[in-house]
Structure formats: C-alpha cells, structure tokens
Amino acid sequence: MCFSLYFARFALPLQKEKLKIMGIFGFFNKDKKETLDKGLQKTKTSVFDKLARAVAGKSKVDDDVLDDLEEVLITSDVGVDTTLKIIERIEERVARDKYVSTSELNGILREEIAALLAENNTDDNDSWDLPTDHKPYVILVVGVNGVGKTTTIGKLAWQFKQAGKKVYLGAADTFRAAAVEQLCIWGERVGVPVVKQQMGSDPASVAFDTISSAKANGADVVLIDTAGRLHNKVGLMNELKKIKDVMKKVMPEAPDEVMLVLDGSTGQNAFEQAKQFSAVTQISSLAITKLDGTAKGGVVIGISDQLKVPVKYIGLGEGMTDLQLFNKTQFVDSLFKHE
C-alpha cells in the first residue's frame, strides 16, 4: 500500500465529496453551472470592466470601438492572433449589417468566440462515453511540473471510478520522487491501484507494466503521468515517443488520447508551453486548470484556436467535482453574462 499514512488525512474530505454526487460527468447541472459562474468571476469582471470603458459614450460599433475591443481581448490573454481573427469577423458583420449598436457587441462576441471553439472541435461536453470496441482506454497525460497535472489525474480517476469504471494509474514520472509519492497519495485517496517502479526507472517500462496489468485485470481506463521537463526538447520527444511505442506492444490503439495539462493562471505562458509540447508530440486534448484564481480565462479561447486542439476539461477549484468537462456554450455564456 502506497504511503497509507496519508489516507486518513484525505478520507473524510473524500466522503464529503461522495455525498455531493448525483450521477457522473453530467452530474448536477445546476451546481456545475454555479461552479462555472463562480470560477470565471475574476475573468468576467475584468472583461466587463474593460468592455464598459471601450464603449463608454458610443452608440455604435465603429473603428474606435473595434480598436478598444482589440485591446480588451489581448489584455484578457486571448492572444494577438486569435484577437485579430475575432476583430476581423466582427468587422465583417458590421460591414454587412451597416449598423451595429454597442449594446449588441456582447452578443456578437459570444457568437464569434463560440464559433471559433466549434471550429477547433471543442464540443459541448456533458458526458464522456468510452469506446466499446476495446479497453482499457489509455490517456497519456503531459505537462510541465506545477500546472496541476497529477491533481488532474487524481480527479479524473475519481470521476471515472464514480462512473463505475475500473481505473489504473501509472507513475511514469520516474525522475521526481515527489511526483510518484503524490500519485500514490491520490491512488490511496481515490481507491485505485498505482503502478510504479524505482526512481530513475525507464518511464516506458512503467507505461508497459501499467497497461499490461490494467489489461490483465479488466480495467476500463488507464491514466499515465509523465515527466514535466521542457529544458531538453529532444530528450522529451524521444521519451514520449518511446512511451508510445512501448504502449503499442501491449495495445496497438494506445494511447487513445494525449492530454496536455496547462495552468490557466499563467496566461500567455501557458500558451507558450502548449506550443512547445505540441512541437514534440501530437496533443489530442487540453485540460486547463486554476481558472478560478485568475482574470486570465481568455487564454482558453486563444490556446484552443491557435493549437486547433479541443479543450476537454477546465479546473475551477480544489474540489473533486471542480474539474469539469468543458462545455463551450456554457463557458461563453458564463463569461459574457452580465449580472
């Protein structure tokens, strides 16, 4: 049993979390919406304050308003390229409709941002149905240290388990004892097995053992943690490639998904990390954490648009259920809902 002395520390909070559950992944839409609204409050307040200043004293959307709107979006960490794309679309609508009032601007922004997210295959996720043609479903989780990667894995494991799935965790970040320890704590807390080896072991070997054990025991989902080093891109690329190659020896489909975890509170730094990781491995989904503590929630829009990778999860707090499946419609509505 991994680090069992920590279990008691987490047992009571976990029981409290369980009492809140009413179905999984689509759980309690009302509570989910309230969590989303609360989690985006800092970003929402910042955006609305800036928008109010941009349209002050103006009755229609003209070049001056568009210039100010461009600044609002850039300073909200949407990113320059994505901002210019949004402004261009609004300019086209203004030219087509001849007259667009500043009171309509909020609604237009909602529509254009939702359209951008849809173009990047970001769905309105309320549930995550695993494929039925094979199992386990293997998720390789990547991201730099400190972004909440291991915590995201733990919360995902808990959510899958609450959905009745059998989950295995693989501690393939064999370069940091703290990473293995933290994953073991989560395994104890959630009640799922963690496959690990000695420090300094080959990460690919850990991945092989994890999938082999999960497959032999009829597991539904495998989540594999990886090292968060970016100082040596060549080394990271080779490591991730080796992990993938070894996985395929056990399951040709693996990994089913490569999920990049990013810290939304770092704004454009998160975008830079995303670009670096996408340069060394193919990313298929994004999980953006810590959005509740920042006014930089606009980074969700920019990262998805620039990478052409769908956002699957967003983190809005410390609780197990505060890691939410991303719903683009609800996200945009919450971000631009003026109260």
Side-chain angles (χ1 to χ4, degrees):
M1 184 177 292
C2 282
F3 304 97
S4 57
L5 63 126
Y6 292 94
F7 186 67
R9 172 184 169 189
F10 291 114
L12 183 57
L14 184 56
Q15 291 303 316
K16 290 180 179 178
E17 293 282 1
K18 285 183 177 180
L19 291 174
K20 294 166 61 179
I21 293 302
M22 298 167 56
I24 202 65
F25 292 132
F27 46 89
F28 51 88
N29 288 331
K30 182 173 180 293
D31 287 352
K32 178 181 176 182
K33 189 67 169 62
E34 289 175 353
T35 299
L36 181 63
D37 289 342
K38 182 179 178 182
L40 293 178
Q41 189 60 50
K42 289 185 178 180
T43 296
K44 188 188 323 186
T45 300
S46 174
V47 169
F48 270 114
D49 285 349
K50 293 172 183 175
L51 273 177
R53 290 194 294 270
V55 302
K58 303 290 182 66
S59 60
K60 69 175 184 177
V61 177
D62 55 19
D63 289 342
D64 289 339
V65 169
L66 289 173
D67 286 343
D68 290 340
L69 176 59
E70 182 178 317
E71 182 179 348
V72 168
L73 294 173
I74 290 174
T75 56
S76 298
D77 282 88
V78 172
V80 174
D81 292 339
T82 302
T83 292
L84 293 177
K85 189 180 296 185
I86 293 170
I87 295 297
E88 183 179 338
R89 292 184 178 203
I90 295 176
E91 285 176 332
E92 291 173 357
R93 291 185 63 162
V94 171
R96 183 178 68 244
D97 299 339
K98 304 304 180 185
Y99 180 89
V100 175
S101 69
T102 53
S103 63
E104 296 176 89
L105 188 57
N106 197 21
I108 292 172
L109 272 172
R110 288 191 194 204
E111 294 171 10
E112 295 303 336
I113 290 173
L116 274 182
L117 290 169
E119 290 166 13
N120 304 327
N121 298 315
T122 294
D123 298 320
D124 284 343
N125 293 310
D126 288 312
S127 63
W128 188 0
D129 297 323
L130 298 176
T132 57
D133 59 338
H134 71 274
K135 67 177 191 179
Y137 185 84
V138 180
I139 305 173
L140 183 65
V141 186
V142 301
V144 300
N145 300 328
V147 298
K149 179 160 51 79
T150 307
T151 299
T152 297
I153 291 171
K155 290 179 179 179
L156 277 175
W158 181 79
Q159 291 187 9
F160 276 121
K161 188 176 181 186
Q162 294 302 307
K165 304 301 181 184
K166 190 172 184 179
V167 184
Y168 270 64
L169 304 181
D173 184 355
T174 59
F175 296 91
R176 291 191 310 128
V180 176
E181 178 180 344
Q182 187 183 7
L183 197 66
C184 283
I185 291 171
W186 272 104
E188 293 256 3
R189 182 181 184 188
V190 176
V192 299
V194 178
V195 177
K196 63 173 185 174
Q197 294 183 7
Q198 293 182 345
M199 293 306 304
S201 299
D202 184 355
S205 176
V206 177
F208 182 91
D209 286 352
T210 305
I211 298 176
S212 297
S213 181
K215 188 176 181 181
N217 288 282
D220 299 294
V221 183
V222 172
L223 296 157
I224 296 181
D225 193 12
T226 59
R229 299 161 300 141
L230 265 179
H231 63 276
N232 184 344
K233 291 184 183 179
V234 175
L236 179 63
M237 187 187 318
N238 291 338
E239 181 178 302
L240 292 175
K241 182 179 185 302
K242 184 177 180 181
I243 289 174
K244 290 180 180 179
D245 290 344
V246 169
M247 283 181 173
K248 293 184 185 302
K249 293 180 180 180
V250 186
M251 292 188 65
E253 306 90 350
D256 295 278
E257 186 169 348
V258 179
M259 178 180 288
L260 173 62
V261 181
L262 298 167
D263 179 351
S265 69
T266 62
Q268 289 304 296
N269 285 337
F271 181 49
E272 289 303 315
Q273 289 176 18
K275 287 197 296 185
Q276 292 182 57
F277 267 99
S278 64
V280 301
T281 192
Q282 186 172 2
I283 306 299
S284 57
S285 66
L286 300 171
I288 303 180
T289 66
K290 307 181 185 180
L291 291 175
D292 56 307
T294 181
K296 299 179 179 181
V299 74
V300 172
I301 302 161
I303 289 175
S304 177
D305 175 56
Q306 293 302 304
L307 293 185
K308 305 302 179 188
V309 174
V311 179
K312 183 162 272 189
Y313 284 96
I314 53 175
L316 298 163
E318 297 298 323
M320 292 285 202
T321 58
D322 291 336
L323 180 71
Q324 292 189 1
L325 278 161
F326 184 72
N327 181 301
K328 69 176 184 297
T329 301
Q330 291 179 3
F331 178 84
V332 175
D333 284 350
S334 180
L335 189 60
F336 289 98
K337 182 173 71 177
H338 197 17
E339 302 181 1

